[in-house]
Amino acid sequence: MYNGKMLHILQTGDLHLGKIFYGISLIADQKFVLEQILGILKKNLGTKNEYHALFIAGDIYDKAIPSVEAVALFDDFLTQLNSALPNLPVFAISGNHDSAARLSYAANFLKGQNIFIATDAKKIVEPTILCGSDGEKFAVYQIPFLQSGALENTDGDRLSSQSDLLKEAVRRIEVAHKENLKTKNLKAILNAHLFVLGGAQSSSERIFIGNAELVEKSVFNFFDYVSVGHLHKGQKVSEKCYYAGSPLVYSFDEISVEKNFLDITLDEKSEQKISAKKIPVQPLHKTSCLKGKFEDFYRLDKNKTPALYERRDDYIELTCTDPILIENPVAKLRENFPNILSVKQEYFSRQNAIEISKRDFNENSENFSPSQIFENFVSDVVPDFKIEEWQKEKEIFELITKEIEI
């Protein structure tokens, strides 16, 4: 084995197995991702880049009661992984989407297979000894997502906020680490699931409410490296703390976010000490937000719109720019785009209508009569507006306005 590398970790997180995306099951997409993890680990086996551990930083499943398909997928992944690399330690924790009780099933048995699944807050001070390339030992600690009341402070008061819970958890680990003759001289590694203050989030996460649920990165100063999950955008929190992010896009506001696994190297001999390299995830289906006229999508032409034709298998959110209302657009477009998930009709979107109605009124409301307000609004949202066709509605609007003024 290569002796220049102290510790080599493959890191991922927020798998959300069983995720339903706009009514479509992502099981096949997630299986494709797990196969890539297996491929990376097996490809490097016996080489100078061999991995010493796999870290999964929480949210294994998307729901507390996962689907049968999701459980079977994770079971199959662990079985294949253990069969191909029986000596590779796997570290996994429960996240805020997981049920700790369900994820902990067979955890004691799995330890014997080098699969360490942590779900119990009471066991956070129990380390697992991990060996690096030249026999260097590391103490790995895991902090699952901590529910309110999971820990008490030194006065016996039950803690509720994520900030207080994590501070107490880290305090306990640090004390235990330094008091333990087997660990006090070892470097400490942490796998945790939480929202670090300053991290960039997206709409697909179950966001905590209030600053008390955010954790200062300084809380983790004791550790030599921290693998952290919960935020779906991969990001560097500090020189020794990283989110790998979710391996797949789970909301349309994530489409510009790179999806990667993290290749983490801890090396005392290097100037950088910690190296974090990105390994791009190849999705089974890309996710796209497209915009254009309905006709271009409905009458898809490989020669006229080759770029659009190449996106036909993507998970798509389409914004139609047509000034007419299109009925059942998703059903009509599904023949050309089988994975189209959402169609927004820009001209008729509720938000657009609200903004139009406010535009002139808010800027100069005192100069507009009820009649002018009505005409300005309807002319903006109705194509080929003709006032004579809207006289009845206009009169009702004026009548209601007068009643309000009275």
Side-chain angles (χ1 to χ4, degrees), residues 19-89:
K19 177 77 173 181
I20 302 296
F21 190 36
Y22 281 78
I24 289 183
S25 169
L26 296 182
I27 284 291
D29 302 75
Q30 293 169 332
K31 180 180 179 181
F32 194 66
V33 165
L34 295 179
E35 288 172 347
Q36 290 176 63
I37 295 175
L38 284 168
I40 293 168
L41 293 169
K42 289 194 289 186
K43 179 182 178 181
N44 289 279
L45 182 63
T47 72
K48 66 178 182 179
N49 292 316
E50 181 173 348
Y51 289 95
H52 301 118
L54 169 66
F55 278 54
I56 305 175
D59 280 351
I60 307 298
Y61 298 115
D62 189 58
K63 295 182 178 179
I65 304 178
S67 66
V68 172
E69 294 81 5
V71 174
L73 178 59
F74 192 53
D75 176 65
D76 186 57
F77 168 68
L78 293 180
T79 300
Q80 290 188 54
L81 180 59
N82 186 252
S83 176
L85 300 99
N87 297 318
L88 179 78

XYZ file of all heavy atoms in Angstrom, residues 19-89:
558
model
N -36.680 9.140 -2.805
C -37.192 10.468 -3.122
C -38.171 10.417 -4.288
O -37.939 9.767 -5.302
C -36.025 11.391 -3.490
C -36.409 12.796 -3.923
C -36.776 13.668 -2.750
C -36.999 15.108 -3.168
N -37.347 15.972 -2.012
N -39.292 11.116 -4.140
C -40.266 11.296 -5.207
C -40.146 12.735 -5.697
O -40.317 13.675 -4.921
C -41.706 11.019 -4.735
C -41.824 9.599 -4.173
C -42.685 11.222 -5.883
C -41.566 8.502 -5.173
N -39.816 12.905 -6.957
C -39.575 14.235 -7.527
C -40.706 14.568 -8.495
O -40.788 14.003 -9.573
C -38.216 14.227 -8.233
C -37.712 15.574 -8.667
C -37.943 16.706 -7.909
C -36.977 15.702 -9.841
C -37.458 17.939 -8.296
C -36.477 16.930 -10.248
C -36.720 18.059 -9.469
N -41.610 15.437 -8.084
C -42.777 15.814 -8.898
C -43.536 14.568 -9.363
O -43.929 14.450 -10.516
C -42.338 16.646 -10.105
C -42.047 18.094 -9.785
C -40.852 18.461 -9.172
C -42.954 19.099 -10.096
C -40.558 19.771 -8.870
C -42.682 20.423 -9.814
C -41.481 20.753 -9.189
O -41.206 22.071 -8.896
N -43.694 13.620 -8.443
C -44.473 12.424 -8.744
C -43.697 11.292 -9.377
O -44.239 10.208 -9.597
N -42.419 11.520 -9.679
C -41.600 10.478 -10.312
C -40.622 9.899 -9.294
O -39.914 10.637 -8.600
C -40.820 11.043 -11.518
C -41.786 11.337 -12.661
C -39.750 10.064 -11.998
C -41.134 11.833 -13.934
N -40.569 8.570 -9.193
C -39.633 7.909 -8.295
C -38.213 8.018 -8.849
O -37.990 7.791 -10.044
C -40.006 6.433 -8.128
O -38.962 5.731 -7.458
N -37.268 8.337 -7.987
C -35.872 8.478 -8.404
C -35.043 7.239 -8.055
O -33.814 7.300 -8.048
C -35.255 9.717 -7.750
C -35.869 11.058 -8.151
C -35.130 12.206 -7.452
C -35.846 11.257 -9.660
N -35.696 6.133 -7.773
C -34.975 4.918 -7.383
C -33.939 4.520 -8.434
O -32.787 4.203 -8.102
C -35.954 3.743 -7.134
C -36.667 3.921 -5.786
C -35.216 2.410 -7.136
C -35.778 3.750 -4.566
N -34.322 4.522 -9.696
C -33.383 4.142 -10.760
C -32.201 5.114 -10.816
O -31.051 4.703 -11.003
C -34.099 4.095 -12.108
N -32.476 6.407 -10.646
C -31.416 7.427 -10.655
C -30.477 7.223 -9.473
O -29.246 7.367 -9.605
C -32.045 8.818 -10.579
C -33.007 9.078 -11.722
O -34.125 8.534 -11.695
O -32.650 9.832 -12.638
N -31.041 6.894 -8.322
C -30.232 6.710 -7.117
C -29.415 5.420 -7.181
O -28.277 5.376 -6.704
C -31.146 6.747 -5.893
C -31.761 8.123 -5.690
C -32.880 8.158 -4.667
O -33.571 7.160 -4.444
N -33.084 9.311 -4.047
N -29.969 4.401 -7.794
C -29.212 3.170 -8.008
C -28.000 3.456 -8.880
O -26.897 2.948 -8.633
C -30.094 2.104 -8.666
C -29.381 0.789 -8.914
C -30.303 -0.241 -9.576
C -29.546 -1.541 -9.821
N -30.419 -2.559 -10.485
N -28.184 4.282 -9.904
C -27.094 4.667 -10.802
C -25.988 5.395 -10.034
O -24.800 5.198 -10.305
C -27.662 5.555 -11.910
C -26.748 5.759 -13.076
C -26.402 4.697 -13.901
C -26.239 7.017 -13.375
C -25.561 4.889 -14.994
C -25.403 7.223 -14.459
C -25.064 6.152 -15.269
N -26.364 6.223 -9.067
C -25.398 6.940 -8.234
C -24.625 5.977 -7.336
O -23.392 6.045 -7.223
C -26.111 8.002 -7.373
C -25.198 8.499 -6.249
C -26.559 9.167 -8.236
N -25.339 5.063 -6.680
C -24.686 4.101 -5.787
C -23.727 3.196 -6.552
O -22.674 2.806 -6.036
C -25.731 3.285 -5.042
C -26.631 4.065 -4.080
C -27.647 3.123 -3.425
C -25.823 4.784 -3.009
N -24.083 2.867 -7.776
C -23.188 2.059 -8.614
C -21.895 2.813 -8.906
O -20.817 2.209 -9.001
C -23.891 1.683 -9.916
C -24.987 0.634 -9.744
C -25.796 0.406 -11.003
O -25.669 1.226 -11.946
O -26.560 -0.577 -11.049
N -21.985 4.130 -9.029
C -20.787 4.937 -9.253
C -19.872 4.936 -8.027
O -18.645 4.885 -8.151
C -21.177 6.365 -9.617
C -21.801 6.487 -10.987
C -22.272 7.891 -11.290
O -21.491 8.828 -11.355
N -23.575 8.036 -11.487
N -20.480 4.985 -6.838
C -19.681 4.915 -5.613
C -18.932 3.594 -5.559
O -17.722 3.548 -5.276
C -20.583 5.079 -4.368
C -21.199 6.477 -4.330
C -19.790 4.806 -3.093
C -22.196 6.680 -3.209
N -19.633 2.505 -5.830
C -18.997 1.191 -5.855
C -17.870 1.153 -6.874
O -16.785 0.623 -6.603
C -20.034 0.119 -6.198
C -20.997 -0.296 -5.090
C -22.137 -1.129 -5.661
C -20.267 -1.083 -4.014
N -18.121 1.723 -8.037
C -17.108 1.722 -9.092
C -15.858 2.480 -8.702
O -14.730 2.021 -8.968
N -16.024 3.630 -8.060
C -14.871 4.440 -7.629
C -14.047 3.686 -6.597
O -12.819 3.633 -6.664
C -15.358 5.784 -7.053
C -15.990 6.630 -8.159
C -14.202 6.540 -6.394
C -16.756 7.834 -7.645
N -14.724 3.087 -5.622
C -14.024 2.368 -4.553
C -13.284 1.145 -5.099
O -12.133 0.878 -4.731
C -15.019 1.951 -3.473
C -15.663 3.091 -2.674
C -16.810 2.554 -1.835
C -14.637 3.788 -1.788
N -13.948 0.400 -5.980
C -13.333 -0.811 -6.525
C -12.184 -0.478 -7.483
O -11.176 -1.187 -7.520
C -14.386 -1.663 -7.238
C -15.372 -2.319 -6.291
C -16.192 -3.404 -6.964
C -17.192 -2.857 -7.925
N -18.087 -3.922 -8.457
N -12.332 0.600 -8.238
C -11.295 0.999 -9.198
C -9.976 1.315 -8.496
O -8.892 1.045 -9.034
C -11.776 2.215 -9.986
C -10.770 2.731 -11.006
C -11.307 3.960 -11.711
C -10.286 4.512 -12.702
N -10.796 5.730 -13.388
N -10.060 1.874 -7.301
C -8.857 2.289 -6.585
C -8.324 1.221 -5.630
O -7.284 1.423 -4.996
C -9.130 3.579 -5.810
C -9.284 4.780 -6.727
O -8.316 5.366 -7.181
N -10.527 5.136 -7.028
N -9.025 0.125 -5.505
C -8.596 -0.947 -4.605
C -7.239 -1.494 -5.043
O -7.041 -1.853 -6.196
C -9.630 -2.067 -4.594
C -9.360 -3.250 -3.657
C -9.357 -2.792 -2.210
C -10.409 -4.339 -3.866
N -6.265 -1.559 -4.109
C -4.952 -2.102 -4.401
C -4.016 -1.150 -5.107
O -2.898 -1.521 -5.474
N -4.444 0.106 -5.318
C -3.592 1.107 -5.958
C -3.100 2.114 -4.927
O -3.463 2.054 -3.746
C -4.372 1.875 -7.045
O -5.322 2.758 -6.408
C -5.126 0.912 -7.951
N -2.283 3.041 -5.365
C -1.775 4.066 -4.446
C -2.886 4.998 -3.971
O -2.728 5.731 -2.999
C -0.669 4.874 -5.105
C -1.111 5.724 -6.283
C 0.063 6.515 -6.839
C -0.376 7.414 -7.989
N 0.776 8.201 -8.516
N -4.032 4.973 -4.673
C -5.161 5.822 -4.304
C -6.272 5.056 -3.591
O -7.414 5.504 -3.545
C -5.732 6.493 -5.559
C -4.783 7.499 -6.161
O -4.174 8.294 -5.456
N -4.638 7.453 -7.477
N -5.943 3.913 -3.034
C -6.946 3.114 -2.333
C -7.583 3.903 -1.192
O -6.912 4.620 -0.444
C -6.295 1.844 -1.789
C -7.255 0.915 -1.061
C -6.609 -0.412 -0.689
O -5.502 -0.690 -1.189
O -7.205 -1.148 0.106
N -8.899 3.750 -1.073
C -9.611 4.460 -0.011
C -9.565 3.662 1.288
O -9.591 2.431 1.285
C -11.071 4.693 -0.416
C -11.234 5.724 -1.500
C -11.324 5.345 -2.839
C -11.270 7.080 -1.194
C -11.461 6.290 -3.850
C -11.408 8.040 -2.194
C -11.497 7.632 -3.516
O -11.627 8.582 -4.516
N -9.519 4.415 2.394
C -9.511 3.788 3.712
C -10.895 3.775 4.348
O -11.111 3.072 5.339
C -8.527 4.529 4.630
C -7.128 4.541 4.109
N -6.469 5.701 3.784
C -6.272 3.518 3.828
C -5.257 5.401 3.344
N -5.110 4.093 3.355
N -11.832 4.556 3.797
C -13.179 4.591 4.376
C -14.147 5.303 3.441
O -13.747 6.140 2.616
C -13.167 5.297 5.734
N -15.415 4.977 3.599
C -16.507 5.685 2.935
C -17.335 6.360 4.017
O -17.744 5.728 4.986
C -17.386 4.719 2.143
C -18.720 5.280 1.610
C -18.474 6.362 0.563
C -19.585 4.163 1.030
N -17.583 7.668 3.860
C -18.400 8.427 4.803
C -19.710 8.838 4.115
O -19.692 9.419 3.029
C -17.670 9.691 5.273
C -16.687 9.460 6.385
C -15.686 8.517 6.279
C -16.753 10.216 7.550
C -14.775 8.302 7.298
C -15.845 10.019 8.588
C -14.854 9.051 8.463
N -20.837 8.540 4.777
C -22.148 8.986 4.301
C -22.742 9.868 5.407
O -23.086 9.373 6.483
C -23.080 7.798 4.003
C -22.417 6.827 3.016
C -24.412 8.297 3.440
C -23.217 5.557 2.764
N -22.875 11.163 5.121
C -23.187 12.131 6.184
C -24.677 12.387 6.369
O -25.140 13.527 6.409
C -22.458 13.449 5.905
N -25.465 11.325 6.518
C -26.857 11.483 6.927
C -27.860 11.588 5.805
O -27.518 11.711 4.622
N -29.140 11.540 6.188
C -30.267 11.505 5.254
C -30.079 10.373 4.250
O -30.076 10.579 3.030
C -30.461 12.848 4.549
C -31.196 13.858 5.419
O -31.701 13.462 6.493
O -31.267 15.041 5.043
N -29.939 9.178 4.793
C -29.853 7.990 3.942
C -31.155 7.855 3.145
O -31.150 7.649 1.937
C -29.644 6.714 4.793
C -28.443 6.873 5.732
C -29.500 5.496 3.896
C -27.129 7.072 5.041
N -32.257 7.983 3.853
C -33.581 7.886 3.221
C -34.233 9.265 3.159
O -33.840 10.195 3.871
C -34.474 6.928 4.003
C -33.960 5.510 4.042
C -33.567 4.920 5.251
C -33.858 4.744 2.884
C -33.099 3.614 5.304
C -33.389 3.439 2.922
C -33.009 2.874 4.129
O -32.542 1.585 4.176
N -35.252 9.372 2.319
C -35.952 10.643 2.190
C -37.058 10.805 3.216
O -37.457 11.917 3.533
C -36.540 10.772 0.779
C -37.089 12.152 0.513
O -36.328 13.125 0.630
O -38.297 12.268 0.204
N -37.545 9.669 3.749
C -38.642 9.712 4.712
C -38.324 8.862 5.928
O -37.551 7.911 5.857
C -39.942 9.210 4.071
C -40.459 10.083 2.942
C -41.762 9.539 2.393
C -42.309 10.435 1.292
N -43.578 9.910 0.724
N -38.960 9.220 7.038
C -38.757 8.456 8.271
C -39.216 7.005 8.098
O -38.636 6.086 8.687
C -39.516 9.114 9.422
N -40.259 6.816 7.312
C -40.715 5.464 6.967
C -40.432 5.279 5.483
O -41.268 5.605 4.624
C -42.207 5.259 7.276
C -42.493 5.563 8.750
C -42.631 3.833 6.942
C -43.947 5.444 9.141
N -39.257 4.784 5.148
C -38.871 4.687 3.735
C -39.662 3.618 2.996
O -40.197 2.686 3.603
C -37.379 4.330 3.812
C -37.222 3.646 5.124
C -38.197 4.319 6.053
N -39.699 3.761 1.705
C -40.400 2.782 0.875
C -39.637 1.458 0.856
O -38.437 1.400 1.154
C -40.522 3.312 -0.560
O -39.242 3.412 -1.162
N -40.348 0.393 0.497
C -39.723 -0.925 0.384
C -38.585 -0.876 -0.633
O -37.518 -1.451 -0.424
C -40.773 -1.971 -0.042
C -40.112 -3.311 -0.349
C -41.828 -2.135 1.041
N -38.800 -0.151 -1.731
C -37.781 -0.050 -2.778
C -36.535 0.652 -2.276
O -35.404 0.268 -2.624
C -38.345 0.703 -3.988
C -39.461 -0.013 -4.727
C -40.818 0.149 -4.065
O -40.918 0.901 -3.075
O -41.784 -0.495 -4.535
N -36.705 1.691 -1.450
C -35.565 2.438 -0.921
C -34.733 1.576 0.024
O -33.493 1.567 -0.041
C -36.051 3.695 -0.203
N -35.409 0.841 0.905
C -34.708 -0.036 1.846
C -33.962 -1.131 1.089
O -32.804 -1.443 1.386
C -35.694 -0.649 2.859
C -34.990 -1.672 3.746
C -36.327 0.446 3.715
N -34.609 -1.703 0.091
C -33.984 -2.759 -0.701
C -32.764 -2.238 -1.451
O -31.751 -2.940 -1.575
C -34.993 -3.348 -1.683
N -32.849 -1.004 -1.930
C -31.729 -0.409 -2.664
C -30.511 -0.225 -1.761
O -29.382 -0.564 -2.143
C -32.153 0.947 -3.249
C -31.074 1.719 -4.012
C -30.547 0.897 -5.183
C -31.630 3.066 -4.493
N -30.722 0.294 -0.551
C -29.598 0.503 0.365
C -29.040 -0.834 0.838
O -27.814 -0.989 0.963
C -30.048 1.349 1.559
C -28.908 1.845 2.403
C -27.847 2.527 1.844
C -28.904 1.644 3.789
C -26.793 3.002 2.615
C -27.853 2.099 4.566
C -26.797 2.785 3.987
N -29.913 -1.792 1.085
C -29.483 -3.121 1.487
C -28.613 -3.763 0.395
O -27.553 -4.337 0.667
C -30.698 -3.997 1.771
C -30.315 -5.432 2.106
O -29.669 -5.650 3.139
O -30.656 -6.341 1.320
N -29.043 -3.635 -0.842
C -28.294 -4.201 -1.962
C -26.939 -3.511 -2.122
O -25.921 -4.160 -2.400
C -29.114 -4.060 -3.250
C -28.459 -4.754 -4.429
O -28.204 -5.977 -4.337
O -28.201 -4.091 -5.442
N -26.916 -2.196 -1.923
C -25.671 -1.435 -2.013
C -24.662 -1.898 -0.967
O -23.496 -2.172 -1.277
C -25.967 0.059 -1.835
C -24.744 0.908 -1.632
C -23.828 1.101 -2.652
C -24.507 1.523 -0.399
C -22.694 1.897 -2.464
C -23.383 2.303 -0.199
C -22.478 2.501 -1.233
N -25.105 -2.016 0.287
C -24.202 -2.446 1.357
C -23.726 -3.884 1.131
O -22.564 -4.211 1.404
C -24.896 -2.326 2.713
C -25.220 -0.904 3.197
C -25.908 -0.960 4.552
C -23.966 -0.042 3.278
N -24.607 -4.723 0.617
C -24.248 -6.115 0.354
C -23.160 -6.200 -0.718
O -22.155 -6.907 -0.557
C -25.477 -6.918 -0.094
O -26.462 -6.881 0.932
C -25.115 -8.366 -0.381
N -23.355 -5.460 -1.795
C -22.365 -5.460 -2.869
C -21.046 -4.853 -2.409
O -19.963 -5.352 -2.740
C -22.888 -4.678 -4.073
C -24.022 -5.337 -4.810
C -24.358 -4.596 -6.095
O -23.489 -4.361 -6.935
N -25.619 -4.218 -6.242
N -21.138 -3.784 -1.634
C -19.940 -3.109 -1.148
C -19.139 -4.024 -0.228
O -17.913 -4.152 -0.369
C -20.344 -1.825 -0.411
C -19.216 -0.968 0.177
C -18.254 -0.532 -0.916
C -19.796 0.255 0.882
N -19.814 -4.680 0.684
C -19.130 -5.559 1.627
C -18.561 -6.785 0.934
O -17.505 -7.298 1.315
C -20.081 -5.979 2.749
C -19.396 -6.764 3.838
O -19.586 -7.971 3.960
N -18.602 -6.085 4.654
N -19.231 -7.240 -0.100
C -18.743 -8.392 -0.853
C -17.474 -8.050 -1.624
O -16.529 -8.839 -1.672
C -19.826 -8.881 -1.818
O -19.356 -9.946 -2.626
N -17.448 -6.872 -2.225
C -16.296 -6.467 -3.036
C -15.146 -5.931 -2.197
O -13.972 -6.148 -2.528
C -16.734 -5.413 -4.057
N -15.470 -5.234 -1.106
C -14.440 -4.618 -0.252
C -14.771 -4.890 1.210
O -15.156 -3.985 1.953
C -14.361 -3.107 -0.497
C -14.014 -2.664 -1.914
C -15.264 -2.286 -2.673
C -13.050 -1.486 -1.893
N -14.617 -6.125 1.662
C -15.025 -6.494 3.024
C -14.246 -5.786 4.124
O -14.744 -5.681 5.251
C -14.784 -8.001 3.057
C -13.757 -8.245 2.008
C -14.064 -7.271 0.930
N -13.072 -5.272 3.800
C -12.252 -4.604 4.827
C -12.411 -3.087 4.826
O -11.757 -2.397 5.614
C -10.775 -4.961 4.617
C -10.512 -6.445 4.792
O -11.033 -7.072 5.710
N -9.716 -7.023 3.898
N -13.252 -2.582 3.941
C -13.433 -1.133 3.875
C -14.460 -0.674 4.903
O -15.625 -1.074 4.845
C -13.914 -0.719 2.487
C -14.167 0.785 2.332
C -12.849 1.531 2.147
C -15.115 1.065 1.165
N -14.077 0.181 5.850
C -15.053 0.709 6.823
C -16.024 1.678 6.163
O -15.622 2.525 5.359
C -14.175 1.429 7.856
C -12.799 0.889 7.652
C -12.704 0.591 6.186
